[in-house]
Amino acid sequence: MMYSIRYFLVVLLTMLLQPMICTAQKTGLVLSGGGVRGMAHIGVIKALEENGIPIDFITGTSAGAIVGSFYSIGLSPSQIETLVMSEEFREWATGQINEDLDYYFKKPEPDASWVTLKFSLDSLLRTRIPSSVVNSARSDFALMENMSAAIAKAGYNFDSLFVPFRCVSSDIKSKKLKVFKDGDLPMAVRASMAYPFYFTPVAFDNMILFDGGIYNNFPVDIMLEDFNPDIMIGVNTGSYPDIPYEENLLSMFKTMLVQSTTYSVPRDSDIMIAPSVKDIGLFNFDEMKAAIDSGYQSTIRQMDAIKSRISSRVSLEDLNTKRSNFRKGFNEIYIDKVNSTGINHKQEQYIRKIINHDNQCMSIEDIRPHYFQLLTDKNIKSIFPLLKYNEATGYFDMDLLIKKERDLIVDFGGNISSSPINQAFVGLQYNVWGKQSLNIYGNIYFGKLYNSAAVRLRYDIPGKLNYYVEPVAILNRFDYFKSSSAFLEDVKPAFLIQSDRFYGANFGIPARNKGKVIASAGNFNLINNYYQTRDFSSEDISDRTEFGGWMAALQFERNTMNKKMYALKGTFINITGRLVTGKEETTPGSTGLITDTINNSHEWLQLRMFYDNYFKSAGAFTFGFTSDMFLSSQPFFANYTATILSAQGFQPTAQSKTIFLDNYRAHNYIGMGLKTIVSFRSNLELRLEGYVFQPFQAIIQNNQLKAKYDNAFQSRSLLATMTGIYNSPVGPVSLSLNYYEKRNKPLSVLFHFGYIIFNRRALD
């Protein structure tokens, strides 16, 4: 009898509680897009958690998809805030490649190019215009790295995440919204944040996917259709579009593409939160903290209303336990197989030799540097990585969706200047890609000062040790007489034409990610035509010194500079040892004291150590240091001018590379200087640079116009420049005031637009 009564009470209690269980209140959080403004969502979630407000479902677009997905994989608001405030996240968002991942070995020699056009030989009329201003490789890999284990645990079902989640993207082919509810979470989030012309679109399942905000920047309808919660909290950070104007192409294109979105919730019981982020720029990453704080404060101001409508509560302790349990079961990411699509079988073998040459199981940390090596490969335009857990092996498989670079590349550029050093540049490159890679490259410079032609054939062989073999031919000609200007310079410059020719080969291997070691050998020929005096007439015959022979060199180079000219960040180190042997033939002209042709054999060793470093910025200021030490056993040539022409020069500034400065040349010297750069804006700066040149023994001229050494450390020369620079999209625009000690007129002014960069000389 007692058992029957007890059983009856249990059944009755269950029946009374059942309606309460069935009608337990569910809360959905709808997060809009908005770029940096969308980081306010972090503050909103933080405030909700602190006050025990449960979040049962999340839908998000663009920035809302980023924040919502991080929360859905079990990161706490404080962890998300730490992540987005990190330098690493800024690199993801701005497309910067961390210098630890930047693979210098694959980078080409710097040149004077402004614009690059890319073609395919089978479709020469179709060029490829860049579809984004930001390299998405860093964010693609980061999303994969951070989310793959979580979505694998959820069985690739977004409903099984820590918080059920949806995000949206825009398929511009069908002009329809794409809602992601299962599959690869990193790819879904990346598609949702593909802001037009900022990030590249994502190609998936015969769709071209852009930012979800184009068609739906506030997915409240998706929340109702997929989850139908009892109450919704909508967070609007996306109803403040950039006002389009003629100089902002991104805003104009976005305005043309985006459909209007209604930022409202449909039911009286639902809640809208609108953080005060109107004044925060869409891509102003310095305002991240302000956006987060605004989201938090806006939510706290409405907390009484939120609590009055949402009766359910969850303690922070219970939430953290649930979060910990979800993340505890993640499979550690080890990659067993790497598959490549979009390329042929031989090219896939090339990829495999670089990314997993041992064909062994690799951790994500092991594969990361090899992946970023691929991104610097001249044959590859882009890579989209996917990780999929393989239940049969217990490891992950990596799929690389590869887009080949066009095989024919044309570069145009040069330099426009206030002095006669104007030059034009054209470069042509053709890529042949199979199990190995062949890069055929040629360029031409032409102008009053400088004319040059170069051909390189670089053959890359991937494997456990990547290396390349590179036959090269370079012809250079500098005419310092025609390119001289009387404006604030010596009125009658010396007649001087320098030509050099080099035929040889380079062999290179990487020195970790940032450096390379190059062995070079080849035949050279240097020809100098000159007068030994400034007093000459058009009837005079110039002296001529020709020096030809062989050289062998070994150099180590490490480069993390962020620009090929006027850098603001990074380090450049070059250490080169060289053996030079050859024969000199000097034929006197009509202005010298010697009338007989002179033939001499010369052989010497030289060592050059060049170091250039920019330190971390202190507010608007950046500081730099340069040192250049040159040591050699080089002998004198037939006369002073021939000797000084063959000596190494100290040329630390842009203008110093375009004029001949005999008192900044020596057989043994050290040059060093300090740089201070004031950045007024991201593309506008003022550079102040000062250098001292100290020859161990200066080369001077005796009464017979021959060379001799001065007393050790007897003289030195100063060099300084003040330069204003505007970094345009195609190249720097610069105006400089330059000072050279011991010249007749030490001050000179130079305006130039473009790059003052030359091909390497025979003995550089």
Side-chain angles (χ1 to χ4, degrees):
M1 181 69 175
M2 183 65 68
Y3 174 79
S4 299
I5 295 172
R6 189 177 300 167
Y7 178 78
F8 173 76
L9 291 174
V10 169
V11 172
L12 180 62
L13 183 61
T14 302
M15 292 175 64
L16 290 172
L17 290 175
Q18 190 66 34
M20 296 176 62
I21 296 172
C22 293
T23 59
Q25 200 175 34
K26 296 293 184 181
T27 304
L29 185 63
V30 181
L31 306 178
S32 74
V36 169
R37 301 164 186 159
M39 296 303 106
H41 300 320
I42 301 170
V44 173
I45 296 173
K46 181 180 179 182
L48 295 175
E49 274 204 0
E50 287 178 355
N51 286 273
I53 306 300
I55 301 172
D56 299 296
F57 314 106
I58 296 178
T59 60
T61 296
S62 196
I66 298 171
V67 175
S69 63
F70 280 138
Y71 189 74
S72 292
I73 64 172
L75 294 183
S76 68
S78 60
Q79 288 173 320
I80 301 172
E81 180 174 358
T82 300
L83 176 61
V84 303
M85 292 296 296
S86 68
E87 186 63 30
E88 184 180 16
F89 184 85
R90 184 182 289 252
E91 290 171 359
W92 304 353
T94 58
Q96 299 176 37
I97 302 296
N98 187 288
E99 67 177 39
D100 292 333
L101 299 173
D102 198 12
Y103 193 52
Y104 180 60
F105 179 69
K106 289 283 188 178
K107 290 191 173 181
E109 292 278 339
D111 56 39
S113 61
W114 296 353
V115 177
T116 298
L117 300 178
K118 300 177 181 180
F119 306 86
S120 286
L121 285 184
D122 57 355
S123 55
L124 277 175
L125 295 179
R126 292 189 301 166
T127 63
R128 177 175 286 169
I129 299 173
S131 59
S132 66
V133 296
V134 165
N135 182 350
S136 64
R138 192 79 171 88
S139 60
D140 295 345
F141 193 88
L143 291 171
M144 177 194 72
E145 183 178 6
N146 282 275
M147 296 181 177
S148 291
I151 193 60
K153 179 179 180 179
Y156 298 93
N157 183 345
F158 292 9
D159 288 342
S160 300
L161 291 167
F162 173 68
V163 175
F165 174 71
R166 298 286 186 272
C167 67
V168 297
S169 186
S170 302
D171 175 21
I172 62 169
K173 286 181 71 175
S174 66
K175 294 182 174 55
K176 292 181 181 178
L177 194 71
K178 167 64 180 174
V179 181
F180 286 97
K181 57 182 68 177
D182 54 28
D184 190 76
L185 178 64
M187 185 273 293
V189 175
R190 172 64 176 80
S192 186
M193 59 183 264
Y195 189 98
F197 304 103
Y198 188 80
F199 279 121
T200 54
V202 173
F204 169 73
D205 198 19
N206 200 33
M207 294 181 287
I208 299 177
L209 300 174
F210 276 98
D211 191 310
I214 294 175
Y215 296 150
N216 188 344
N217 204 34
F218 191 57
V220 66
D221 54 334
I222 308 302
M223 176 64 75
L224 285 172
E225 291 170 10
D226 282 27
F227 300 121
N228 193 26
D230 298 289
I231 190 167
M232 288 187 293
I233 300 175
V235 187
N236 171 22
T237 62
S239 60
Y240 313 110
D242 286 350
I243 299 173
Y245 60 96
E246 60 184 7
E247 294 180 1
N248 190 333
L249 290 178
L250 285 178
S251 67
M252 287 195 293
F253 282 121
K254 183 77 183 286
T255 302
M256 287 188 290
L257 290 170
V258 172
Q259 297 179 3
S260 60
T261 297
T262 301
Y263 294 91
S264 63
V265 286
R267 303 172 302 198
D268 292 339
S269 59
D270 297 328
I271 299 165
M272 276 295 296
I273 299 174
S276 301
V277 291
K278 182 178 181 180
D279 295 330
I280 295 177
L282 204 61
F283 301 114
N284 187 354
F285 296 97
D286 294 329
E287 298 285 345
M288 300 269 267
K289 181 62 176 173
I292 295 170
D293 291 344
S294 178
Y296 181 83
Q297 293 160 6
S298 297
T299 308
I300 292 297
R301 283 194 292 269
Q302 292 185 240
M303 190 53 64
D304 289 341
I306 294 171
K307 287 182 176 180
S308 69
R309 300 182 193 184
I310 301 176
S311 57
S312 301
R313 296 288 183 273
V314 58
S315 71
L316 203 54
E317 183 180 357
D318 289 344
L319 194 60
N320 286 333
T321 299
K322 180 185 174 185
R323 181 180 287 123
S324 177
N325 289 336
F326 177 77
R327 295 188 63 82
K328 193 183 298 181
F330 287 0
N331 292 301
E332 194 169 354
I333 297 179
Y334 280 94
I335 299 161
D336 182 34
K337 296 179 182 178
V338 178
N339 304 307
S340 302
T341 59
I343 55 178
N344 63 37
H345 178 66
K346 289 184 178 180
Q347 293 162 350
E348 188 176 3
Q349 288 180 285
Y350 177 91
I351 297 292
R352 192 175 293 115
K353 284 182 181 179
I354 292 176
I355 206 160
N356 189 2
H357 54 80
D358 291 331
N359 201 28
Q360 294 181 350
C361 193
M362 302 176 72
S363 69
I364 196 76
E365 290 78 15
D366 293 332
I367 215 163
R368 185 188 293 109
H370 302 292
Y371 175 84
F372 282 94
Q373 285 180 26
L374 285 178
L375 289 169
T376 61
D377 197 288
K378 52 192 167 290
N379 299 292
I380 297 172
K381 174 177 169 52
S382 66
I383 306 174
F384 194 88
L386 298 169
L387 281 181
K388 184 68 179 290
Y389 183 69
N390 189 329
E391 294 185 358
T393 63
Y395 299 117
F396 285 81
D397 295 336
M398 174 177 273
D399 290 326
L400 301 178
L401 311 181
I402 296 175
K403 287 185 179 179
K404 288 176 55 181
E405 186 56 273
R406 298 289 177 107
D407 44 26
L408 183 62
I409 299 171
V410 183
D411 296 316
F412 298 96
N415 179 55
I416 300 171
S417 173
S418 59
S419 66
I421 62 169
N422 303 300
Q423 65 185 27
F425 168 84
V426 179
L428 185 67
Q429 175 179 312
Y430 181 64
N431 299 325
V432 181
W433 186 22
K435 293 173 66 175
Q436 288 82 33
S437 171
L438 175 63
N439 171 242
I440 304 168
Y441 174 78
N443 69 38
I444 298 175
Y445 289 83
F446 46 95
K448 277 190 173 182
L449 168 69
Y450 181 62
N451 290 273
S452 178
V455 177
R456 302 175 183 274
L457 280 73
R458 175 164 165 162
Y459 191 59
D460 280 274
I461 297 91
K464 187 172 184 179
L465 177 65
N466 299 324
Y467 66 94
Y468 71 80
V469 178
E470 183 184 50
V472 58
I474 302 176
L475 304 174
N476 291 309
R477 185 177 188 272
F478 287 85
D479 189 334
Y480 292 102
F481 182 70
K482 285 184 179 178
S483 65
S484 297
S485 170
F487 181 59
L488 290 180
E489 293 184 7
D490 297 335
V491 175
K492 190 172 183 181
F495 178 86
L496 171 58
I497 299 174
Q498 284 192 304
S499 301
D500 68 81
R501 182 202 70 208
F502 177 77
Y503 304 118
N506 301 319
F507 173 83
I509 59 174
R512 307 191 70 174
N513 263 29
K514 306 174 190 177
K516 59 184 176 181
V517 176
I518 305 170
S520 304
N523 176 264
F524 67 87
N525 187 259
L526 312 180
I527 300 175
N528 295 320
N529 291 283
Y530 54 91
Y531 290 115
Q532 298 185 60
T533 175
R534 293 181 185 270
D535 298 320
F536 57 86
S537 68
S538 58
E539 288 80 21
D540 284 320
I541 300 171
S542 67
D543 291 57
R544 174 187 170 94
T545 296
E546 182 172 351
F547 179 57
W550 295 86
M551 79 87 188
L554 182 66
Q555 66 175 304
F556 165 76
E557 191 167 277
R558 181 183 186 274
N559 191 348
T560 62
M561 291 290 188
N562 67 331
K563 298 177 186 176
K564 59 184 178 181
M565 189 174 180
Y566 299 128
L568 284 170
K569 180 181 178 182
T571 302
F572 178 81
I573 300 172
N574 183 284
I575 302 172
T576 302
R578 179 176 280 111
L579 168 66
V580 180
T581 181
K583 292 184 178 181
E584 172 203 356
E585 180 179 277
T586 296
T587 304
S590 59
T591 60
L593 301 178
I594 301 172
T595 58
D596 297 329
T597 297
I598 298 174
N599 291 281
N600 288 313
S601 294
H602 299 298
E603 184 175 289
W604 69 84
L605 292 171
Q606 64 188 48
L607 174 67
R608 187 180 188 185
M609 294 173 285
F610 186 89
Y611 174 75
D612 197 12
N613 185 26
Y614 291 90
F615 306 100
K616 288 187 176 180
S617 301
F621 292 87
T622 300
F623 303 98
F625 173 74
T626 297
S627 69
D628 182 7
M629 178 179 281
F630 185 81
L631 307 171
S632 78
S633 58
Q634 183 173 345
F636 294 138
F637 277 44
N639 56 60
Y640 166 79
T641 306
T643 299
I644 207 72
L645 287 172
S646 65
Q648 181 66 40
F650 179 59
Q651 301 171 308
T653 65
Q655 192 195 40
S656 65
K657 294 176 173 61
T658 68
I659 52 180
F660 188 81
L661 301 165
D662 53 357
N663 58 316
Y664 292 87
R665 303 175 78 89
H667 289 157
N668 296 275
Y669 69 80
I670 183 169
M672 60 179 60
L674 297 174
K675 294 173 278 193
T676 301
I677 302 100
V678 185
S679 298
F680 301 103
R681 294 169 52 188
S682 60
N683 57 359
L684 187 64
E685 66 201 50
L686 177 68
R687 300 174 73 97
L688 304 172
E689 305 177 41
Y691 301 90
V692 60
F693 172 75
Q694 177 63 70
F696 294 176
Q697 287 182 292
I699 302 171
I700 58 176
Q701 184 174 264
N702 65 17
N703 293 332
Q704 287 76 42
L705 303 183
K706 289 191 175 183
K708 69 174 186 176
Y709 285 128
D710 197 1
N711 295 329
F713 300 100
Q714 182 69 28
S715 63
R716 65 196 56 84
S717 298
L718 301 179
L719 185 156
T721 182
M722 179 173 66
T723 310
I725 301 163
Y726 169 71
N727 292 293
S728 77
V730 295
V733 181
S734 165
L735 179 64
S736 63
L737 176 65
N738 304 278
Y739 171 79
Y740 303 97
E741 191 181 15
K742 300 177 183 176
R743 295 190 81 197
N744 291 341
K745 292 189 176 181
L747 291 177
S748 63
V749 174
L750 176 68
F751 167 83
H752 80 89
F753 168 44
Y755 295 99
I756 300 177
I757 297 176
F758 309 125
N759 286 323
R760 287 188 186 242
R761 298 197 188 191
L763 298 183
D764 274 357

